[in-house]
Amino acid sequence: MVRRGPPPKGHKARARTGKTVGGGKVSPQKSIGHRRVPSHGTPRDEDDAGARPLAKAERVVPEMAGEAGKATARPPRAARTKAAGSRSGSRIKGVPRQDAPEQEGATRRTPGRTRAAATKRGADAAPARDVDAAPLRDAGRERATGRAPRDRHDDAGPSSRPGRDRDARQNMTGVGCASRARHDDADAQDTPPRTRATRHGADADDGRPDYRAGRDRVAPAGPQSSARRRAAARPDEPPPLPSKTALRQFLAEAGGRVTKSTIARAFGLTSDQRQSLRMLMREIAEEGGSTQAGKRGIVHPSRLPEMAPVEITGTDPDGDPIARPVQWQGEGRPPIIYMRPEPKGQPALTAGERVLARLKPIGPGKYEGRTFKRIGGGAPARILGVFEEGRIIPTDRRQKGIWQVDPADAAGAKQGEIVLAEPLPSTRHFGPRPARITEVLGVMGEPRSVSLVCIHAHGIPDVFPAEAVQQAEKAHGVTARGRTDLRDVPLVTIDGEDARDFDDAVFAEPDGSGWRVLVAIADVAHYVTTASALDREAWARGNSVYFPDRVVPMLPEALSNGWCSLRPNEERGCLFVEMRFDAEGRKQSHQFGRGIMRSAARLTYEQVQEAADAGSDPASLAPGHVGRLYGAFRALLAAREKRGTLDLDVPERRVMLDAKGNVQAVVPRARLDAHRLIEEFMVAANVCAAEELERLVQPCMYRVHDRPSDQKMEGLRQFLDTFGITLPQSDRLHPRDFARVLEKVRGTPEERLVNEAVLRGQSQAAYSPDNLGHFGLALPRYAHFTSPIRRYADLLVHRALIRGLKLGKDGLTEDEAARFPDTAEHITSTERRAAAAERDAVDRYLAAFMAQRVGESFEARISGVTRFGLFVTLEENGASGIVPLGSLPDDRWDLDEATQSLAGRRTRLIFRLGDAVEARLAEATPRTGGMVFHLMQGLPSRGRGRPAPKGKQRGRRR
């Protein structure tokens, strides 16, 4: 509204004359659209830190300029009064009509201080044009709210809408529009107005005014410009949508939550492209490339949002709660969340409880959490533990709670038995919680009790439905009809000494200057048909699980150890692939078929290696049989080395049990050339399966392994830097780069630690119907074909080959192919569940074995550095455990994430990742598999320059 009443005095009066008071001085100003520019400086936005809202008495409505595009000054009060009295259709009092005299300058007020929008350019004012009040009011509203006004028709004049838009684009100066008025005082009268900015070079896209040679000062259309002016400034062709790769990279670099508007601004997208962007974001989310963060935000799957639901999993040695995210879609293990203690008067967080927490990253894969709201879920769905004195002690080391069992709810459980229980409702916040025992599983400490705990702890199904067992028992052998007869080919199985099923057999012979290799796999698809009871149970299990004392098979024993096991001298159905390689191991051709075979021998890796070293053959084989296998193996190995693959040497631990199930020893599992021979043959067959399905245009369940993430690589680089080892940038990373790293540490004390660090730095392999390649093997395509007895993915590949090659009626169905994405996600999770259960079992057996050696000292290396202590791994058997912070010398310990070190301020001791130490076993708990170590006061002198007796000393400050 135009101010009515007596004219203001002081600085308000001077503002009308085109001068501004600033710091006690009166200085002329120049108007450049919606920005204010001092005569001696750069433009300053209206939303600067010093901006303030306009007082009601200070607000001035600028009038429209003439065709020259100039802003008009406010007319004297007498002229305004006269104009108001003569006008009939004006909505705002004081706005001149078209026949009123035009002023050459216009006054414009900016937030924070009084500024003149333009100076008077002549002694006499030119006639002013009349404008409708509605555009002015809309412009004022747009300037105040930042939103474009709605279209409205002119109530005061007969002019058409297009003409009004054109005039507005040319003349709306000083109300947040995008006109480009020239401000050269010397030739302002003679130079026609610039209606659009002219940009050159880099300034054309940088969104800043062009100040070349001090000539034109042009203000671009700001965020408060109207929609019509922004539309006029847009290019004719909208920018292209970002690719999925570009959007994933943007999310990874954003470092936090982003919205659709953030992405649109970053890539310069228009409002017309919002729907396409929304669909692109939805596709990436479905592919696991983003995680929902709030209602409208997303984050990279490797990062957690600023607020997310978490579940308490236990406590650290200091008693502080540890949590994990409820929903985790990133690679590898979920990050660790260290929760802050609850405020005074609030009950402490317990294992299984869920809270909405504010999260703050504190390191790679680590977050600090603060409880925002408790959302329930305090009690787990079931409790697995040992019944002792009326209480249940959980077998999960992450659960610190204890459950009280009423005698009426004990279900006859006795002291020391492993039980399953369910929590009971309770309002108690402190002390043991009530529970009811539902099942007694066995006695802790008895043979097979360790694997029994692991099976139930990880939810692995171990009982087959009766319908599936009956179907398996009705199975019988196959005939040679419609199959290739391979019974005269001396195929042999080579497996571990403790193997319980034999699903692959191999044969090799010279083929000119190259080699002919035959790999035969048990024909599981013949017995496990789609949608049958066996198929449903195999899908649910996903794979077999191997424990030191038992196997939980994917198929009933009648098949896994019977008709689908390639026993020697027994006829079995098979799917086979015949491959031909040249002398350098390059594949020349392959051919798949369905056959019938008879295994010539069941050999172990140790037998084959011994025969190869001695240059002989087992008694059941013809002379030269093993030599021919090794000849083909050496050719394939040469091709692999030339290809440059990731070959990690992380020894597996083998638990040796006696007849009673007690642990005799835990030793590293030897890795022989015989192991690598079978591995090379199986890899070649798997590659052929993927290539054949692509050739047949059939669905394929690929085995994919993506390149390491940038976050993991940064942590690995920091670790390797402590050994003086470098890695190239992620975009130039190749598996052979890791091979060079492993070669540098081969034979050194750090070899095992570096191998484990490189392994942890890799992405986890997974199953997918979409091909991503296999980074570790340096292969463009890869699928699992060779173990359908123990992996459901291999069974799907067999069915796809049968359908594509028309080898029978039991091939892949359309419904099954449509479920490939869901099946891939499911069998990936079951595979990781099985791996976790197998590691858990080995840890528990190792703890049981080490419980007899409590108090002994061992040579070890620091394998982990955290804020609550250290982790050490023994050189003798690979046992690992924690060194609590409280067991270290009394000091203030500082954690350095970059160097992975823990340093004492007073003692000046430094414990770094990879340091050799002497550790004393203080505690071993077979029930949970946990071990606690204490570091000895004197450290081994062979450490990297560490003086005795208390470890490496930091240089004293001078």
Side-chain angles (χ1 to χ4, degrees), residues 222 271 497 687 793 943:
S271 59
E497 186 178 355
V687 171

Side-chain angles (χ1 to χ4, degrees), residues 931-958:
M931 285 179 278
V932 178
F933 292 90
H934 292 168
L935 297 185
M936 305 298 291
Q937 289 298 105
L939 299 178
S941 59
R942 71 172 185 279
R944 295 175 295 169
R946 184 188 303 99
K950 290 189 176 182
K952 191 171 183 178
Q953 301 273 346
R954 289 191 290 178
R956 295 187 178 272
R957 298 174 183 170
R958 300 181 182 272

Side-chain angles (χ1 to χ4, degrees), residues 679-879:
E679 180 181 336
E680 290 301 322
F681 283 12
M682 299 303 112
V683 168
N686 291 335
V687 171
C688 292
E691 292 177 349
E692 186 71 6
L693 290 178
E694 289 186 357
R695 184 186 71 83
L696 297 171
V697 195
Q698 293 292 322
C700 179
M701 186 61 72
Y702 292 97
R703 180 65 169 179
V704 297
H705 181 222
D706 204 356
R707 62 177 53 252
S709 64
D710 295 339
Q711 183 179 4
K712 287 187 175 182
M713 281 297 94
E714 184 61 29
L716 181 60
R717 285 191 181 92
Q718 293 178 359
F719 169 71
L720 294 178
D721 187 58
T722 61
F723 300 100
I725 302 174
T726 60
L727 279 174
Q729 295 299 320
S730 298
D731 56 346
R732 296 183 286 110
L733 200 62
H734 191 273
R736 66 171 61 93
D737 298 319
F738 292 107
R740 297 191 187 102
V741 170
L742 300 178
E743 187 62 33
K744 288 182 180 180
V745 298
R746 193 178 305 278
T748 66
E750 296 83 12
E751 179 179 5
R752 177 188 295 179
L753 192 62
V754 172
N755 273 269
E756 291 178 353
V758 171
L759 177 62
R760 288 195 300 266
Q762 303 301 312
S763 301
Q764 282 189 290
Y767 293 105
S768 173
D770 301 319
N771 183 25
L772 300 178
H774 199 291
F775 176 80
L777 295 175
L779 293 170
R781 58 190 59 82
Y782 191 65
H784 275 167
F785 162 77
T786 56
S787 298
I789 289 181
R790 58 186 179 93
R791 291 191 304 232
Y792 193 79
D794 302 54
L795 178 58
L796 294 177
V797 171
H798 278 224
R799 289 174 178 170
L801 288 170
I802 292 171
R803 184 175 82 166
L805 296 171
K806 297 180 175 56
L807 299 176
K809 297 181 180 180
D810 46 4
L812 193 71
T813 64
E814 290 296 335
D815 291 342
E816 193 173 18
R819 295 194 303 267
F820 258 38
D822 294 337
T823 300
E825 182 178 354
H826 172 72
I827 60 180
T828 298
S829 64
T830 58
E831 179 197 39
R832 294 175 181 176
R833 178 185 65 184
E838 292 169 358
R839 287 194 305 267
D840 191 12
V842 173
D843 289 342
R844 293 174 190 270
Y845 273 115
L846 198 52
F849 175 68
M850 296 294 290
Q852 307 170 8
R853 306 177 66 180
V854 172
E856 295 185 21
S857 297
F858 303 89
E859 296 179 355
R861 286 195 173 271
I862 297 177
S863 56
V865 181
T866 68
R867 71 180 183 90
F868 51 82
L870 307 170
F871 286 93
V872 295
T873 300
L874 304 187
E875 300 281 3
E876 178 180 325
N877 52 26

Side-chain angles (χ1 to χ4, degrees), residues 1-3 56 59-61 92-93:
M1 296 289 291
V2 175
R3 183 183 183 280
K56 185 174 182 180
R59 296 176 185 167
V60 180
V61 179
I92 302 178
K93 295 182 179 181

